[in-house]
Amino acid sequence: MEIQFVLNGKKVTADVQPDAVLLDVVRGLGCKSVKCGCETTNCGLCTVWIDGKSSLSCSVLAARVDGHEVTTLEGVEEEAAELGRFLAAEGAEQCGFCSPGFIMNVLAMMRELENPDLDEIKEYLAGNLCRCTGYMSQLRAIQKYMEAKQTEQCMEVPA
C-alpha cells in the first residue's frame, strides 16, 4: 500500500506492506538515527515524534502515519547538537546508539512539560535505556540545558 506523510518537514511517499513498522520505513528513507534496540518497546532507541508526540517507531504500523508528520533526530539536528554539547560537558556523551532516542525524548519533554523537576524528568525518561554512561551525568546535563534555554527565552522577551 502507498502512504504519504511528512518526514522531517518534507512530504514523502512510501510503498509499504500492511505489517511494516515505522522504524523500518524511516530507516529505509535514510533516517539512520532511528535504531532498533529491543523490538519490545522497552529501550527507547527507536523514538520519533508523530505529530509532535514521542512514539516508539518499532511499535507503530507505518500505515498509521499516512497523512501525519514524523520527525526524527535528522529533523531537529540543531537542537540535538546543542543538547549534545551539554551532555558532553557533563561527561554524559554516549556511543551514539542510544543517544538519538534519548535526545528525541528530552526535546519532546521540554516541549510538553513546563519546568519539570528532577522526579518528573526521571519519570519522563524512564523508558530510555543507556548502556554506556551513568544516568546522573545525563540528568545534570538536562537540568543545565533547561536552565540555559529558560535564560535564553527570558532574554528574548521584549521589555
Side-chain angles (χ1 to χ4, degrees), residues 115 146-159:
N115 299 318
M146 290 184 341
E147 289 170 14
K149 295 308 276 182
Q150 283 181 325
T151 301
E152 190 178 288
Q153 288 175 348
C154 289
M155 293 177 154
E156 291 176 0
V157 175

Side-chain angles (χ1 to χ4, degrees), residues 116-123 136 139-140 143 146:
D117 63 23
L118 187 57
D119 287 335
E120 289 172 308
I121 294 169
K122 286 179 180 179
E123 183 178 334
M136 294 313 297
L139 293 172
R140 281 193 310 272
Q143 289 177 309
M146 290 184 341

Side-chain angles (χ1 to χ4, degrees), residues 3 5 7 12-14 22-32:
I3 61 171
F5 61 101
L7 178 60
V12 296
T13 301
L22 183 59
L23 166 78
D24 296 329
V25 172
V26 295
R27 284 188 60 81
L29 291 170
C31 298
K32 301 301 184 189

Side-chain angles (χ1 to χ4, degrees), residues 9-23:
K10 296 176 183 169
K11 191 171 185 176
V12 296
T13 301
D15 188 26
V16 302
Q17 295 298 315
D19 62 347
V21 292
L22 183 59
L23 166 78

